[in-house]
Each structure stands twice: as structure tokens, then as C-alpha cells.
Amino acid sequence: MMVTALASANVFPPDSVRDWRAYWHSYTSAFVDPQGRVIDAHQGGISTSEGQAYALFFSLVANQPQLFARILAWTNDNLAGGRLGQKLPGWLWGKNPLGRWTLLSPHSASDADLWLAYTLIEAGSLWHRSDYTSLGLQLADTIAREEVVPISFSTRINEQSMDLSSTPMLLPGYFGFVDGPQRYVFNPSYLPLPLLLGLAQADPRGPWQEMASQLPNFLRLVSPHGFAPDWVGIGADGDLFTPPQGSDGSYNAIRVYLWAGMGSDEEPLGREVLHAVYGMRSYLQHAVLPPTVVDSKTGTAHGQGPAGFSAALLPYLAANHDEKALVQQLHRVRADYDAQQGLLGQPAYYYDQNLALFAFGYRTGSFHFSSHGALQTWWSAQAVGTHERTRWGGATHGGQ
């Protein structure tokens, strides 16, 4: 692979695997240092377990085992004290008040943990690395032990009937999300369906299949107007309560629509998840841009979300066959592209790029998920003949 050739490709939004790889190269040039640390320059140069987990996934998709190894080593050494798998990584690393670069929070973020475990397991399979598989399974077991709790909740079947569901559910981290006896705070964006299905295949004794099966019911419960919240509280009797973080859906919740679009091919659960969060689709019937914030309790929306929001919604809108809204968001991300940096937005924010890398990677066929959650990449044998599946505005493009 010639980096200069990839970096010179200025097709945006990416409509082929080659274009996605060029975009990923621009990302690594801007945000990933030689050690494998992902740096959020607009937040004081911090690194997070989320950023490390996403970069690990993208380096697997890009078939870059050396970069993968560097990202993993930095994550293990600096966020998990060299004990990743036995130990959940701390979520935040940066400069402390004394000016020392160090782990600022030892507490975990389970979305990052889930992506790390899943990516390690898939890397083990695709690259034939049993050590990665073992580490991923060990981490999945630690997540299940330390970040999963049993909950019950009711969902309405029809006007006369309610269904009481009991299910394991993923806490956002092992510390700080218990609001009293059997009162928990959850983050719906921490639950991508393909990851749950993939972990269920790799770790059938874990809670993942049950969690995946109940995900549509969970999303319907917490999204009464079809808009997912960033945070939601569920009490002992299955009743919802407003957590200290409030009921808004914004920078966290935008990922719920992204995951729903990327997991929509997993029938029937994928379609049920997609239908559970119908609110954004309905909103974009009469609005040009997605909102910054939606009150999930009332459905009231305001503001105009950044370009990363528009990018995140592309798989969701394509899965809903909403051609008009899809084209509108494509125009928006194209207009916000900075050709000089090869990134989205001016300035190019870390989070926008991650949303876009997922969306563009999925829509170009750089990666895909099987109906059982297995990762399929443009270079893996499982994806031969199927990796180019772009549907920008209804068009299909080819070429690597």
C-alpha cells in the first residue's frame, strides 16, 4: 500500500474502500501518535479508552497489524497498568494539575470495553492470532462480571397488554452509575447490536445474546418519541426516572442511530432496533439538518448538530430508504470537508471524524457485520465479492 497514493485521494464522502483508507490515513496523521496514542487536541490533548478502542477497530478494518499492536500496547500499558483483560481500562488519560501526563481516572467506560473485547476477538479470527482471541474473551468475561447488572422493565404490547422483561444490562462503567438500591443509570449508545451478537457467538455462556434479544424492547422503552436519550434511569420496578445527567439525547445518543443503521441487516432484531428509534427519521422529513439536542421525554428538538451528526446518520437513513434526507446529509458533509487536511470540518474535531469513519467505512463496504455479528472486511475471505456496497443517493460504486 502506498500511503502517498491513498492520501492524495480527495473523494469525499468516500465512495470506495480506497477512499475510506485515505480518510483513515488522514485521521491517523492528525490524531494518532507514533506510540499508538489517540490524542484529542481540542480537549487539552487527552486520550480516552473510547478513542483507543475505535482506533483499534479501524486499524483492524484497514488491515494494519503493526498499528493495531501499537494502539493495543499503549492502551494496555497506560490505561490498564499492563493487565488489560484481567482489568478494565481507565477511561481518561491526560495532564494532571502537577503537569504530569498520567491516568486521570481509573474508572471504566463500558462502551470502550465492549469495542475492545469485540475487536480483539475479531482480530484473533481474521489474523489467526489466538493471543488476541484469548485476551478479548478474558476482557469480555471481566465486563460481564463487573459492568453487567440484572434489570426488569415493562414494555407495552398493545393498549391492553404489557410485557414484563428481565434481562442483563450493561452499566456505563463499574463505578458511578448506581443511584440507589436497584436504581441504575444506563447509556443506550453503549449497546451496538452487532457487537452484542458477535460476543454472543464467541462467548455463548455470557449475557450477550439475552442483552441483544432485549435491546429493541429496551430502546422502545427509553425512546417514547423515537429519540434515544444520552442517559436513562431504570428503577427496581422497571420504572424510568430522570438521571442526574438529564433526559436529553445529543452527542452520546447520535451513535444509537449510527449503530442502528449499521446493524439493520441482522433480521429481525436489526429491523426492530431501527424501528425503535424512528424519531430522527421523522424529524428529517421536515428539517434539513439533525438537531443538536432532543428531549427524549417530550420529543422537543433544537439546534443544528455538527457535520459528524450528519455523517453518523447516513447508514441510518440508507437503511430507512429515505433518499431525500440521505442526499441532504451527503451534501452537508461534502460541504464541510477540508481537502487540505483530508478530514471533516474546520476545525476537524476528533469525535466528528470517528462518527464519519464508522459511517463511511460501513457504507463503502470497508467493513460489514454478518447476521451473527462477525466482522467482515474488504480484505477478508468472508467478504470477497461483497465488500463494495456503497449506496450514496442510491448509487453503487466499485473499486478498491
Side-chain angles (χ1 to χ4, degrees):
M1 177 183 77
M2 294 190 63
V3 169
T4 53
L6 285 179
S8 66
N10 283 323
V11 176
F12 198 85
D15 65 1
S16 72
V17 171
R18 175 180 290 275
D19 300 331
W20 182 84
R21 291 163 67 199
Y23 187 55
W24 166 239
H25 173 72
S26 296
Y27 179 91
T28 57
S29 297
F31 297 100
V32 184
D33 77 2
Q35 304 174 79
R37 177 168 88 93
V38 181
I39 301 170
D40 187 347
H42 292 98
Q43 297 291 329
I46 64 168
S47 294
T48 62
S49 58
E50 171 200 89
Q52 297 300 123
Y54 289 169
L56 198 73
F57 176 79
F58 295 134
S59 64
L60 173 58
V61 171
N63 196 21
Q64 295 178 295
Q66 292 180 336
L67 178 59
F68 185 99
R70 291 199 302 273
I71 294 167
L72 178 60
W74 191 92
T75 305
N76 180 34
D77 293 344
N78 293 278
L79 303 186
R83 297 172 54 222
L84 185 67
Q86 305 168 53
K87 178 180 172 60
L88 299 172
W91 79 273
L92 181 62
W93 194 90
K95 186 184 287 187
N96 68 15
L98 298 177
R100 180 189 172 202
W101 291 90
T102 185
L103 186 64
L104 299 178
S105 174
H107 301 142
S108 63
S110 63
D111 61 332
D113 302 339
L114 208 67
W115 277 101
L116 286 169
Y118 174 85
T119 300
L120 284 162
I121 291 168
E122 294 303 311
S125 174
L126 292 170
W127 283 333
H128 309 291
R129 290 284 302 264
S130 60
D131 54 336
Y132 287 160
T133 302
S134 297
L135 182 57
L137 288 170
Q138 184 181 34
L139 183 55
D141 185 63
T142 303
I143 295 168
R145 185 175 63 252
E146 298 189 14
E147 296 179 317
V148 175
V149 293
I151 64 167
S152 297
F153 58 86
S154 297
T155 52
R156 182 171 295 281
I157 299 175
N158 52 48
E159 290 298 323
Q160 291 79 35
S161 178
M162 298 288 287
D163 177 48
L164 180 65
S165 302
S166 178
T167 186
M169 187 55 62
L170 186 71
L171 286 170
Y174 70 79
F175 175 82
F177 299 99
V178 179
D179 194 56
Q182 297 185 51
R183 284 171 59 88
Y184 303 111
V185 175
F186 298 104
N187 188 317
S189 74
Y190 283 25
L191 297 163
L193 177 63
L195 270 61
L196 298 177
L197 294 173
L199 289 174
Q201 288 294 306
D203 179 23
R205 292 181 298 176
W208 317 113
Q209 183 60 55
E210 193 174 356
M211 206 178 290
S213 299
Q214 288 289 7
L215 184 58
N217 287 336
F218 174 76
L219 289 175
R220 280 190 287 265
L221 173 71
V222 304
S223 312
H225 297 275
F227 289 107
D230 286 346
W231 306 94
V232 65
I234 299 183
D237 298 324
D239 296 328
L240 298 185
F241 66 89
T242 302
Q245 298 91 335
S247 60
D248 286 344
S250 185
Y251 282 86
N252 278 273
I254 193 66
R255 294 177 295 188
V256 175
Y257 312 103
L258 174 60
W259 309 148
M262 292 183 351
S264 61
D265 290 340
E266 282 85 45
E267 295 285 0
L269 288 175
R271 302 306 299 181
E272 290 184 40
V273 165
L274 190 67
H275 294 155
V277 287
Y278 62 87
M280 193 63 74
R281 180 191 71 231
S282 299
Y283 181 86
L284 290 174
Q285 297 296 310
H286 59 80
V288 176
L289 298 178
T292 310
V293 178
V294 182
D295 186 328
S296 63
K297 283 187 171 182
T298 65
T300 303
H302 58 85
Q304 291 185 345
F309 280 29
S310 292
L313 291 173
L314 295 174
Y316 168 84
L317 294 170
N320 278 298
H321 308 290
D322 191 332
E323 186 80 7
K324 178 183 175 182
L326 178 64
V327 170
Q328 287 176 335
Q329 305 318 307
L330 280 168
H331 286 326
R332 194 278 177 87
V333 297
R334 189 174 292 120
D336 278 41
Y337 176 61
D338 181 355
Q340 184 173 358
Q341 295 185 84
L343 295 169
L344 181 63
Q346 300 180 35
Y349 289 107
Y350 146 90
Y351 191 60
D352 284 339
Q353 313 315 313
N354 279 279
L355 296 175
L357 279 165
F358 277 116
F360 300 150
Y362 181 77
R363 297 314 314 164
T364 59
S366 299
F367 71 89
H368 190 54
F369 301 103
S370 76
S371 60
H372 298 294
L375 179 64
Q376 299 176 336
T377 69
W378 60 273
W379 52 268
S380 64
Q382 297 98 310
V384 169
T386 63
H387 59 266
E388 292 291 355
R389 43 188 314 278
T390 308
R391 293 197 295 270
W392 296 139
T396 301
H397 306 276
Q400 291 184 33

